[in-house]
Amino acid sequence: IFYSVQIKDRIRIDQLQNFANKVISSSESVFYAGEPSKNTITAYLPSGIQIIEIYSKEIVFNITTSTGVTRMSFSSNVPLQGNLSSSEGVKRIIIAAQSDKVMLSEG
């Protein structure tokens, strides 16, 4: 049972890393292409996400695991702004370049 719980946590953390990496790499591509570049991606957000915070150059997730709440941060090379909901499931994320930042929104 202990190993089963650890494996489930590892899968959810891997899914979260894939989600964050997809958002950040797409954001960097759109930003460097310049305004008015835009991209829409679909990515799976695992269960257990309590909150998603977007700071200037990072996205921070609070995820509930078997050991409690874990805070995970993913950094970006470009400024980010916007809001993403923390609900589980496949998300359609619109990534749009502006002159000084990338806007993230769900659509």
Side-chain angles (χ1 to χ4, degrees), residues 44-57:
Y44 177 75
L45 188 65
S47 63
I49 306 297
Q50 291 184 342
I51 190 166
I52 301 173
E53 299 168 309
I54 300 174
Y55 297 107
S56 178
K57 288 192 173 184

Side-chain angles (χ1 to χ4, degrees), residues 22-23 26-27 30 37-43 91-96 103-107:
K22 193 169 188 179
V23 170
S26 295
S27 297
V30 165
S37 297
K38 193 178 198 182
N39 190 9
T40 302
I41 62 169
T42 42
K91 299 200 173 291
R92 189 169 170 262
I93 301 168
I94 301 165
I95 300 168
M103 284 299 297
L104 304 175
S105 62
E106 290 183 50

